[in-house]
Amino acid sequence: MSEKFSFNTKVVHASLGIDEATGALNTPLHLSSTFHQPDFDNYHEFDYARSGNPTRQAVEDAIAKLENGTHGFAFATGMAAISAALLTLSQGDHFIISGDVYGGTFRLTEQILPRFGITHTFVDMGDLDAVAAAFQENTKLVYVETPSNPLMRMTDIAAVARLAKEHACYTFVDNTFLTPALQRPLDLGADLVVHSATKFIGGHSDILAGLVVTNNEELAKQVYFMQNSTGGVLGVQDCWLLLRGLKTLAVRMNVGTDSAQKLAEFLQGDDRVKEVFYPGLASHPDYDIQQKQADSAGAVLSFDLGSEEAARQFVNHAKLPVFSVSLGAVESILSYPARMSHAAIPEEERLKLGITPGLLRFSAGLEDIADVIADFEQALAYTVERSAR
């Protein structure tokens, strides 16, 4: 679709799949594992569904358009997508990765990739000198998660990408938290983008999905080879649900971002909250980076109540958010990173990263933010009362 249209318009039309034969507005469900070929010498584009399926192709084309990439790939989960991206590395290769990366990515990096002779260095991506110092002769890529999970640190994608190119390396970016609705890493110099599409892109807590997008032909060949060879593809029914979720991505992100901003400001002004982590606050250390490279700060924030007991009491008495793993849904979700998303990281490392016993993460859904703030107010009051006993 023409670049003159806004993202809000593009996302709706990229998700449509008007059927040429019938005029149906939605992409058909091609529930077929294999495809008949015309004759011995002439083959259709599709032959076996692991290698390609028309419904999955619609998802892959849509996300490629929205990320301003040329090739998209749909996987069974976010971790399948991240794994395929990082398995473009080979034995003897080294990569640089954000220190406060998602727990599942940490587990893959620490416990699985070393078995294949792939080494890594964790760095604070906010310290460009540290990033520059981490390059080795065998470094092949830099893996960035921005905003980071759960402390919402922002990485200057363009600056890191420039450093990577100076060392003939790729830059991969996990764009799960902001999605192409708010941040487009390929436009900033990144070579590949990954998503846990289970989150905001799917948006309804009803599927698992992962996406990869690149505008690099060689990387596209490697990712497709991994997708086809290892077989972690997104099922056809989940592809259809992902397309349905994608149609409302812009409006959901807009509402969630507005709510997160208001809630962050409320929490920052409350003495019962030790610290708030949200890059839309001017007090956030990466506020200027967020303003420069993203359209807004997104729908996720974290806040520290000072102790596990305070966090426990808050969770027990907050009524509106569900208490759950994951984020990015129409319902608001409250989670406890130390025992949920980042449980795979040893406690000592979690504490170094700032993932404290009192830290909670909140993903804003579509509830009225006034109701959410009122709910937080009463939960905080009860938390302080109980903690004081």
Side-chain angles (χ1 to χ4, degrees):
M1 177 165 286
S2 171
E3 288 301 313
K4 68 180 180 180
F5 294 111
S6 70
F7 183 88
N8 291 14
T9 300
K10 288 172 63 177
V11 71
V12 172
H13 287 269
S15 310
L16 285 177
I18 299 175
D19 184 57
E20 293 183 3
T22 66
L25 295 184
N26 292 308
T27 299
L29 276 164
H30 291 274
L31 293 168
S32 183
S33 60
T34 190
F35 300 84
H36 173 69
Q37 306 306 321
D39 57 51
F40 193 86
D41 297 308
N42 298 289
Y43 283 51
H44 285 305
E45 177 183 358
F46 303 102
D47 54 11
Y48 187 63
R50 172 168 44 80
S51 303
N53 174 283
T55 310
R56 192 172 87 231
Q57 187 66 56
V59 171
E60 294 173 334
D61 288 347
I63 193 61
K65 289 176 184 175
L66 296 175
E67 285 283 10
N68 295 330
T70 53
H71 300 80
F73 305 91
F75 291 85
T77 68
M79 283 311 306
I82 293 168
S83 297
L86 290 178
L87 284 172
T88 59
L89 295 166
S90 300
Q91 184 178 21
D93 288 345
H94 169 265
F95 69 106
I96 301 167
I97 183 168
S98 301
D100 53 346
V101 76
Y102 165 61
T105 309
F106 179 90
R107 182 169 51 232
L108 172 69
T109 299
E110 282 279 278
Q111 300 181 34
I112 297 176
L113 294 180
R115 299 180 193 174
F116 300 95
I118 299 169
T119 59
H120 62 275
T121 301
F122 286 113
V123 300
D124 176 359
M125 288 289 171
D127 184 345
L128 293 178
D129 290 336
V131 176
F135 284 94
Q136 302 175 10
E137 288 187 3
N138 59 337
T139 303
K140 301 299 182 182
L141 65 88
V142 182
Y143 185 95
V144 174
E145 184 181 294
T146 182
S148 67
N149 181 8
L151 296 176
M152 306 303 294
R153 295 302 305 271
M154 300 289 290
T155 296
D156 188 331
I157 296 171
V160 169
R162 284 194 296 270
L163 279 175
K165 285 179 171 57
E166 289 172 7
H167 292 83
C169 295
Y170 291 129
T171 302
F172 291 4
V173 177
D174 185 330
N175 198 30
T176 297
F177 273 36
L178 295 187
T179 80
L182 304 180
Q183 178 175 267
R184 291 162 290 280
L186 297 182
D187 292 351
L188 298 169
D191 301 289
L192 181 145
V193 175
V194 298
H195 291 276
S196 173
T198 307
K199 314 301 193 298
F200 288 106
I201 292 178
H204 291 77
S205 298
D206 55 5
I207 61 169
L208 297 174
L211 298 169
V212 172
V213 181
T214 184
N215 51 15
N216 181 289
E217 189 70 32
E218 180 57 34
L219 278 175
K221 291 177 181 177
Q222 293 181 53
V223 172
Y224 178 72
F225 179 81
M226 292 305 305
Q227 183 190 47
N228 191 40
S229 298
T230 60
V233 298
L234 187 61
V236 174
Q237 291 177 320
D238 286 343
C239 286
W240 192 92
L241 286 171
L242 189 57
L243 282 169
R244 186 181 68 173
L246 193 58
K247 290 176 184 177
T248 60
L249 174 63
V251 292
R252 288 186 289 103
M253 291 301 293
N254 290 340
V255 172
T257 297
D258 182 64
S259 294
Q261 182 72 38
K262 290 176 180 175
L263 182 62
E265 291 170 359
F266 162 76
L267 292 171
Q268 187 179 50
D270 195 307
D271 292 338
R272 295 166 294 189
V273 179
K274 182 180 177 182
E275 193 168 4
V276 181
F277 304 92
Y278 185 65
L281 296 173
S283 58
H284 191 281
D286 304 324
Y287 177 79
D288 290 341
I289 296 174
Q290 186 276 135
Q291 292 286 301
K292 178 176 68 172
Q293 72 183 22
D295 296 338
S296 65
V300 181
L301 60 88
S302 295
F303 57 101
D304 194 336
L305 294 177
S307 70
E308 180 178 330
E309 177 61 18
R312 181 187 299 272
Q313 292 301 328
F314 184 90
V315 169
N316 287 344
H317 296 96
K319 298 176 181 178
L320 278 180
V322 299
F323 182 54
S324 176
V325 174
S326 201
L327 54 96
V330 294
E331 66 277 1
S332 290
I333 299 176
L334 189 65
S335 68
Y336 187 55
R339 294 191 183 179
M340 290 181 170
S341 59
H342 290 69
I345 300 177
E347 181 180 12
E348 183 179 354
E349 291 299 317
R350 288 201 306 268
L351 292 174
K352 286 180 181 177
L353 293 171
I355 304 172
T356 62
L359 187 72
L360 293 169
R361 188 187 69 198
F362 178 79
S363 171
L366 302 185
E367 300 92 342
D368 191 306
I369 189 57
D371 293 333
V372 175
I373 290 175
D375 186 40
F376 272 48
E377 175 68 40
Q378 67 82 25
L380 284 168
Y382 197 89
T383 296
V384 171
E385 177 187 336
R386 294 282 296 187
S387 299
R389 292 179 182 177

